[in-house]
Amino acid sequence: QKEVEQNSGPLSVPEGAIASLNCTYSDRGSQSFFWYRQYSGKSPELIMFIYSNGDKEDGRFTAQLNKASQYVSLLIRDSQPSDSATYLCAVVNTGTASKLTFGTGTRLQVTL
Amino acid sequence: DGGITQSPKYLFRKEGQNVTLSCEQNLNHDAMYWYRQDPGQGLRLIYYSQIVNDFQKGDIAEGYSVSREKKESFPLTVTSAQKNPTAFYLCASNQDRGHRELFFGEGSRLTVL
């Protein structure tokens, strides 16, 4: 069983719409959650991190965490073509100190 | 500027040759990692190290070796035992406490001819 699961996509949304990316994880004790964006051929870059239940907003991005249901999501408002990339969810599992476990990523396509 | 430097960016290797990928960080991070990424795939952990002179196997360590003689450096050797080494290799680092954001290098693309 995968520890961090994401739908591989592609998720296609029109420009200006809200993109919703979801991630579920298996370790109930996980404390730290991260969303990375990766453009083709480039290294991942951090979009947001979240530790507490609820929503965390940063510009057009909102991360949502629900520990009881073991899912974390990323909302992108007013989607732009430049948002087209693969979005990786990562979790720090219990007892692994600093090691992040990544999902396989969701490819987002923002269409004109 | 603080960051992670990987070299080389592109590397071509003949079958049967060992190659070493360099990774240096000046972020004073305790932990360092090597990931492999194949086209359209996620990141798979090869090796990681949380302290100097110690490292652990990740999910796909076979055919790879590492060393951690200095805090700043974590080189990865891709040996001839690695059956399918053509991939994009990413080095990363983070702190082992507090905010554990992972910082990545720009990656090394290895192609076996």
Side-chain angles (χ1 to χ4, degrees):
Chain A
Q1 182 184 1
K2 291 185 180 178
E3 296 181 13
V4 181
E5 297 214 28
Q6 297 180 255
N7 188 317
S8 62
L11 173 65
S12 185
V13 300
E15 184 178 6
I18 296 174
S20 177
L21 305 163
N22 299 312
C23 171
T24 59
Y25 58 95
S26 60
D27 182 356
R28 186 169 289 278
S30 298
Q31 296 295 320
S32 306
F33 307 86
F34 303 84
W35 282 101
Y36 284 83
R37 177 177 63 198
Q38 186 178 26
Y39 293 112
S40 180
K42 302 295 185 182
S43 60
E45 55 181 329
L46 183 70
I47 297 296
M48 292 193 71
F49 62 88
I50 186 167
Y51 299 148
S52 304
N53 273 331
D55 296 358
K56 180 181 179 182
E57 186 174 319
D58 183 2
R60 295 187 297 113
F61 300 96
T62 299
Q64 299 175 319
L65 175 60
N66 184 322
K67 290 187 178 181
S69 300
Q70 294 176 243
Y71 82 78
V72 56
S73 61
L74 179 70
L75 301 178
I76 306 175
R77 289 181 299 280
D78 188 24
S79 295
Q80 301 296 310
S82 59
D83 295 326
S84 298
T86 296
Y87 290 80
L88 301 167
C89 172
V91 174
V92 176
N93 289 327
T94 309
T96 62
S98 54
K99 187 165 69 79
L100 273 65
T101 299
F102 284 84
T104 54
T106 298
R107 190 156 64 92
L108 173 66
Q109 293 177 337
V110 180
T111 58
L112 296 172
Chain B
D1 288 334
I4 300 177
T5 301
Q6 287 186 240
S7 64
K9 274 192 173 182
Y10 300 93
L11 184 62
F12 298 88
R13 185 194 98 175
K14 293 182 180 179
E15 283 193 24
Q17 289 181 334
N18 292 355
V19 293
T20 297
L21 307 180
S22 170
C23 178
E24 302 279 333
Q25 56 99 359
N26 60 4
L27 300 168
N28 199 32
H29 285 167
D30 298 303
M32 297 187 73
Y33 308 80
W34 275 105
Y35 291 91
R36 168 181 172 143
Q37 188 173 38
D38 294 286
Q41 303 295 314
L43 304 179
R44 291 189 290 170
L45 183 64
I46 304 172
Y47 268 101
Y48 65 103
S49 167
Q50 293 178 311
I51 194 170
V52 174
N53 292 323
D54 189 37
F55 47 83
Q56 287 77 41
K57 293 182 179 180
D59 301 316
I60 55 165
E62 185 175 350
Y64 299 97
S65 66
V66 293
S67 63
R68 186 87 186 275
E69 297 177 2
K70 299 186 300 181
K71 186 176 184 178
E72 301 79 21
S73 179
F74 192 41
L76 173 74
T77 296
V78 184
T79 75
S80 57
Q82 168 51 232
K83 300 298 182 204
N84 186 18
T86 295
F88 187 48
Y89 291 88
L90 286 160
C91 179
S93 71
N94 66 357
Q95 291 288 15
D96 64 355
R97 64 191 69 82
H99 184 28
R100 297 180 177 88
E101 174 190 353
L102 205 58
F103 291 79
F104 286 89
E106 292 189 338
S108 294
R109 190 168 299 280
L110 172 63
T111 303
V112 174
L113 303 174

